[in-house]
Amino acid sequence: QAFLDAHTDQQLIQLATAAVEAHLGFEGPIVANVTRVSNAIPQYNVGHAAARDTARARLASHAPFISLAGCAYDGVGVNDCILRARYEADAYLGR
């Protein structure tokens, strides 16, 4: 928590963008948003699953090389994020 408190939203976006560029070799997002949730587990809005599924379906038909993974989509825990990342990697590799 101290790390997050010591940085502005813009600084966090810059750090995340630099990590994406360094590790994945392409420019970071055009639009970025920081949501700070203190001492709570984030809750998805009603309709989240349907919106997520629609976004995935649109990506699959228009940009199949892009997948959605992370706490914003399939679970807020680290284990959820790792599970989905593995699923997406396996799907991309055809396993």
Side-chain angles (χ1 to χ4, degrees):
Q1 186 66 39
F3 177 84
L4 295 176
D5 291 341
H7 292 83
T8 66
D9 289 356
Q10 189 58 40
Q11 289 171 322
L12 292 173
I13 290 169
Q14 289 170 343
L15 288 167
T17 301
V20 166
E21 292 171 357
H23 294 285
L24 301 178
F26 59 85
E27 290 187 24
I30 295 170
V31 176
N33 180 49
V34 173
T35 301
R36 294 171 184 260
V37 180
S38 298
N39 301 318
I41 296 174
Q43 301 293 312
Y44 296 124
N45 293 328
V46 173
H48 167 79
R52 176 204 58 213
D53 294 344
T54 299
R56 283 194 171 129
R58 288 182 180 168
L59 278 174
S61 64
H62 297 292
F65 49 88
I66 297 175
S67 61
L68 300 177
C71 64
Y73 304 103
D74 295 299
V76 297
V78 173
N79 291 337
D80 297 317
C81 295
I82 292 169
L83 180 66
R84 188 62 193 201
R86 285 183 177 166
Y87 173 85
E88 293 297 338
D90 286 343
Y92 180 78
L93 296 172
R95 294 191 225 168

